[in-house]
Amino acid sequence: MGSSQGQQANGLTVVIPAFNEQNAIGETLVTLKKALAGIRRPTEILVVDDGSTDRTAEVAGQHEVRVIRHPINSGYGSSLLTGIEAAQFNTIAITDADGTYPIEVLPDLLAFYDRGFDMAVAARQGQYYHSSLGKNTLRFFFRTLAEFTCGRKIPDINSGFRIFDRRPVLAQRSAISTGFSFTTTITLLFMLQLFFVGYMPISYNRRVGKSKVRLFRDSLRSLQIIVTAIAQFNPLKLYLLLGLVNVIGTGLVAVLFHCLHWQPLSIWLGFLITWNGLTLLAGLLIVALILLKPRLLSDVPRND
């Protein structure tokens, strides 16, 4: 292997997406540089300024790191893909600009990754991660659905602090979410292609500034990605899910009818026919969309 190829394989690029993070990006980069000082391999830091309207790019540039600027705000996943494509090395670490992840443990996460994993994920814990009932409920739902899809335990499906080989990601660039579902997408990509994914517990810190996640919109996108993966890799599980939705829906309406004392047989038959028809139509629509579009996850190269 030539020296440039060897360096590309052994080096580490840290990609940080940033949107209006002028108050946090400086401290994040200082902490990151201290962490990288203890890593015995070539490293680089790449900040992708996603159309910020504040001094994010200027502050990042003061710390002598590579800065790529998007002319407009394009999304979390879009920023990461820009950085991954522009990276000097194949091994990619990603983290946030707002200081919520303990970047000082990056050497530990890298050592964990070097045990033979294709992706090493920092699984979040602590009071600042389990702070919102709404978010916790959605996380539990999507984690359970993803575990059902992949057939394995997933402690944290959308952690933004992880290390991975970029080649499987680049091979499927057009199918990966450009929004906050990026991490969900690549988790499914690696697991369903039987790559080795490991989880290392970390503490989650208080955020500087406000979260840019739009809960309802991004939850729908995550659901779309997971359902698409199920339909392509294990359609039987999709039918089981539709059947479960059918049973739950019928049960809930039965309880409602009982509480409201609606007992005419014609109403029951009308509901059952309509509900089952809609469920069947939804299943056929999902299958049709999958067949009409390219595969979300095709064969991709394994790290070697």
Side-chain angles (χ1 to χ4, degrees):
M1 181 182 288
S3 59
S4 62
Q5 290 179 320
Q7 189 179 56
Q8 188 179 45
N10 295 323
L12 174 70
T13 296
V14 183
V15 179
I16 303 177
F19 176 61
N20 291 341
E21 295 288 358
Q22 65 176 14
N23 296 326
I25 188 68
E27 183 177 350
T28 296
L29 291 174
V30 169
T31 305
L32 176 58
K33 283 193 169 186
K34 290 180 181 178
L36 291 178
I39 295 177
R40 295 183 178 180
R41 65 176 67 192
T43 61
E44 69 167 339
I45 301 173
L46 205 167
V47 175
V48 181
D49 177 27
D50 192 28
S52 296
T53 57
D54 63 3
R55 298 175 58 248
T56 295
E58 179 184 345
V59 174
Q62 293 172 355
H63 292 267
E64 299 180 348
V65 299
R66 289 178 64 191
V67 179
I68 298 177
R69 301 193 69 175
H70 285 172
I72 60 173
N73 182 248
S74 302
Y76 171 77
S78 176
S79 301
L80 287 171
L81 287 168
T82 294
I84 291 168
E85 288 183 330
Q88 182 179 352
F89 306 115
N90 281 330
T91 302
I92 304 294
I94 63 172
T95 189
D96 289 352
D98 57 15
T100 52
Y101 292 102
I103 308 175
E104 61 274 9
V105 305
L106 181 59
D108 297 327
L109 187 62
L110 182 60
F112 183 70
Y113 172 80
D114 285 339
R115 287 166 50 183
F117 291 105
D118 298 292
M119 178 184 290
V121 184
R124 294 166 290 180
Q125 297 180 343
Q127 61 174 323
Y128 297 117
Y129 178 57
H130 301 288
S131 58
S132 167
L133 178 61
K135 285 185 178 181
N136 287 340
T137 302
L138 285 174
R139 284 169 182 159
F140 175 79
F141 171 75
F142 285 117
R143 185 176 70 248
T144 302
L145 188 57
E147 289 176 346
F148 173 76
T149 304
C150 298
R152 61 158 291 182
K153 185 175 178 57
I154 304 176
D156 189 345
I157 191 172
N158 61 348
S159 170
F161 186 22
R162 59 181 71 198
I163 300 174
F164 53 89
D165 178 8
R166 72 170 176 171
R167 288 172 292 180
V169 175
L170 292 179
Q172 296 296 325
R173 189 198 189 290
S174 61
I176 292 175
S177 171
T178 57
F180 282 100
S181 298
F182 172 89
T183 46
T184 299
T185 309
I186 64 171
T187 299
L188 294 174
L189 166 67
F190 276 69
M191 286 190 174
L192 291 173
Q193 289 292 304
L194 303 181
F195 287 95
F196 298 118
V197 180
Y199 285 85
M200 186 184 85
I202 62 162
S203 296
Y204 194 58
N205 301 326
R206 183 189 295 272
R207 181 184 303 276
V208 176
K210 295 182 179 179
S211 172
K212 299 174 181 65
V213 176
R214 296 181 182 179
L215 205 58
F216 180 73
R217 181 198 65 183
D218 293 315
S219 296
L220 288 179
R221 289 179 177 175
S222 295
L223 181 61
Q224 177 190 12
I225 289 168
I226 295 174
V227 170
T228 300
I230 297 174
Q232 291 182 349
F233 279 84
N234 199 333
L236 178 59
K237 286 189 175 182
L238 178 61
Y239 300 140
L240 290 175
L241 278 177
L242 289 173
L244 180 61
V245 170
N246 197 354
V247 170
I248 292 175
T250 302
L252 290 176
V253 174
V255 173
L256 177 63
F257 277 26
H258 176 74
C259 294
L260 297 177
H261 304 290
W262 290 354
Q263 298 180 359
L265 182 60
S266 59
I267 296 179
W268 266 106
L269 290 176
F271 164 74
L272 290 176
I273 292 173
T274 302
W275 178 256
N276 283 277
L278 289 175
T279 304
L280 177 62
L281 180 62
L284 292 175
L285 180 61
I286 291 172
V287 172
L289 288 174
I290 298 303
L291 292 176
L292 290 174
K293 294 184 66 176
R295 290 183 63 83
L296 172 67
L297 309 172
S298 59
D299 291 335
V300 292
R302 176 181 291 279
N303 188 15
D304 52 18

